[in-house]
Amino acid sequence: TSVGRRQKSAGDEHAVAIPVVVDAGREQGVWEGMEFHPRPPEAGYETARVTRVFERSSEAEFHPVAHDSFRPRPGWRLTTRRD
């Protein structure tokens, strides 16, 4: 997983979007709109929603509620299971 720069969400001046690239794509069964969660949960309780899917990777965005304290890290493992 790689992490992009934090940016303002379109249409909401107070919302923040944090783009990430996930090392899984169409070949691994990822689809647009799919949700990923950090693993272990201590890494964060936010959800990344997939926005684009490629053969072996995908792009997703975190829209953290507590956006000042949430900082995804490169290399985080993500899962589709919400524990």
Side-chain angles (χ1 to χ4, degrees), residues 20-32 50-60:
V20 295
V21 175
V22 179
D23 296 332
R26 195 171 293 111
E27 285 185 0
Q28 292 78 26
V30 176
W31 67 87
E32 193 172 314
V50 175
T51 57
R52 290 179 70 186
V53 180
F54 305 99
E55 284 304 309
R56 294 186 181 103
S57 65
S58 53
E59 296 175 354

Side-chain angles (χ1 to χ4, degrees), residues 2-3 8 10 16 20 22 24 26 30 33 35 38 43 45 47 49 51 55 65 69-70 73 78-79 81:
S2 64
V3 180
K8 297 280 184 187
V16 172
V20 295
V22 179
R26 195 171 293 111
V30 176
E35 294 183 345
Y45 289 96
T47 299
R49 185 176 301 256
T51 57
E55 284 304 309
V65 176
S69 61
F70 181 75
R73 302 283 182 245
L78 300 176
T79 180
R81 291 183 52 192

